[in-house]
Amino acid sequence: MGQRGRHAAPAAGMQKVRRVAAVVLTAGALVSAGTGVAFADVLEDVPLSGDENLDQVGGQNLACNNSARLVRFNVAETEHHERVCVDRDGHSRRKGSHDGGALAVGDTTLGPQVNAAQAGDQNLYCGNSADVVTVNVTGDMYWDTTCVVTDPHDPHRGGGHRHGAHPRDARALGGTATGPEINSAQTGNQNLYCGNSADTLTVNALGSIRKNTTCTAAEDSSGVSGDQHRGRALVRPGEVDGPETNTAQNGKQNQACGSPGSGLDVPLGPIERQTTCTAYDGA
């Protein structure tokens, strides 16, 4: 049967985390490689291909290599999705457009749906999947997702001695969908939501399906002063005909990683899922 794993690595020291980050950083600030990326196939412009609503505000919020597809079909091909997402300068790739915080509102769709809102610092949302049907016949399908944020608070970079960060609220409101649906809201510091599955059916016939997700949030808090006032994390479920996952995280070093969901696997070949989540605070 398929193998699913969740490993929350202990804080083994900032030096070890930096070694991991250094390897990833050589790939560049944001790299996407392989024979295809999420949503980039024949169903790309079809409404049934799924809906993704994302809003981020604050520093070091990453969302990489997530998937929401109605059908993913592969026959005798090698399909490799590799995404390396790195933030080491404290600037998000996408800023929130709402003055009141991060807000992701679900739509009405016939396919799967993902709604994610992130506010604050070092919130990772990577390698999650809400595909309805995946069929692989004598082919190989690989998803490799690596997310790394590092914040050394180096005063020479202007990042030291931060005072009184005030993150806004993060709100994810579910929509109406035939499912599956993932709704996630994160606010505060070092909230990891990675490698979770709301897939409905995965069929692998004489091929290989592997999904590997690595998430690392590292902060060396030396020289940081001032209280942090975190906003609220709020998730409101939608109306879904199918599996639904709702997660709200508020505070510091909250990890929700590697959940297999309630989907069904038909493993006539290897189906492997591996998730590693690490949050390190050197305070």
Side-chain angles (χ1 to χ4, degrees), residues 161-178:
H161 301 284
R162 296 190 307 176
H163 295 271
H166 299 274
R168 299 284 186 172
D169 295 344
R171 293 168 291 165
L173 311 180
T176 301
T178 56

Side-chain angles (χ1 to χ4, degrees), residues 37-282:
V37 295
F39 305 105
D41 59 22
V42 294
L43 297 180
E44 179 180 11
D45 297 322
V46 180
L48 297 182
S49 64
D51 182 60
E52 183 176 7
N53 302 301
L54 171 69
D55 195 17
Q56 299 180 154
V57 61
Q60 294 187 317
N61 296 303
L62 301 185
C64 295
N65 223 22
N66 302 295
S67 179
R69 294 300 315 277
L70 179 66
V71 178
R72 189 177 294 279
F73 190 70
N74 182 49
V75 178
E77 296 287 344
T78 297
E79 183 179 338
H80 192 183
H81 303 276
E82 180 178 354
R83 188 71 181 271
V84 178
C85 204
V86 176
D87 190 340
R88 56 177 173 176
D89 57 10
H91 297 288
S92 290
R93 305 301 168 194
R94 180 178 176 183
K95 296 294 184 180
S97 57
H98 304 278
D99 293 336
L103 174 63
V105 181
D107 293 331
T108 299
T109 177
L110 295 178
Q113 189 169 140
V114 173
N115 306 304
Q118 299 186 140
D121 189 34
Q122 292 190 328
N123 294 304
L124 307 186
Y125 181 88
C126 303
N128 303 294
S129 179
D131 297 337
V132 177
V133 177
T134 298
V135 178
N136 181 48
V137 181
T138 68
D140 296 308
M141 305 178 73
Y142 302 100
W143 283 266
D144 293 315
T145 306
T146 303
C147 278
V148 175
V149 295
T150 59
D151 189 359
H153 293 307
D154 185 353
H156 297 290
R157 293 172 48 250
H161 301 284
R162 296 190 307 176
H163 295 271
H166 299 274
R168 299 284 186 172
D169 295 344
R171 293 168 291 165
L173 311 180
T176 301
T178 56
E181 184 171 286
I182 297 178
N183 303 306
S184 176
Q186 300 183 145
T187 184
N189 193 21
Q190 292 185 321
N191 294 301
L192 308 185
Y193 186 87
C194 301
N196 300 295
S197 175
D199 294 347
T200 303
L201 174 65
T202 300
V203 179
N204 184 36
L206 304 177
S208 298
I209 297 178
R210 294 183 177 89
K211 297 185 178 183
N212 298 315
T213 304
T214 300
C215 280
T216 301
E219 180 180 38
D220 187 354
S221 300
S222 59
V224 179
S225 60
D227 296 330
Q228 287 192 345
H229 302 278
R230 304 175 183 91
R232 295 179 301 168
L234 172 65
V235 171
R236 188 178 70 192
E239 298 180 4
V240 179
D241 184 13
E244 183 175 24
T245 300
N246 303 298
T247 303
Q249 297 186 146
N250 177 41
K252 191 169 187 178
Q253 292 188 327
N254 298 302
Q255 299 186 40
C257 300
S259 172
S262 57
L264 175 65
D265 286 347
V266 182
L268 304 178
I271 299 177
E272 300 177 1
R273 299 176 179 89
Q274 183 70 42
T275 302
T276 301
C277 277
T278 303
Y280 174 82
D281 183 2

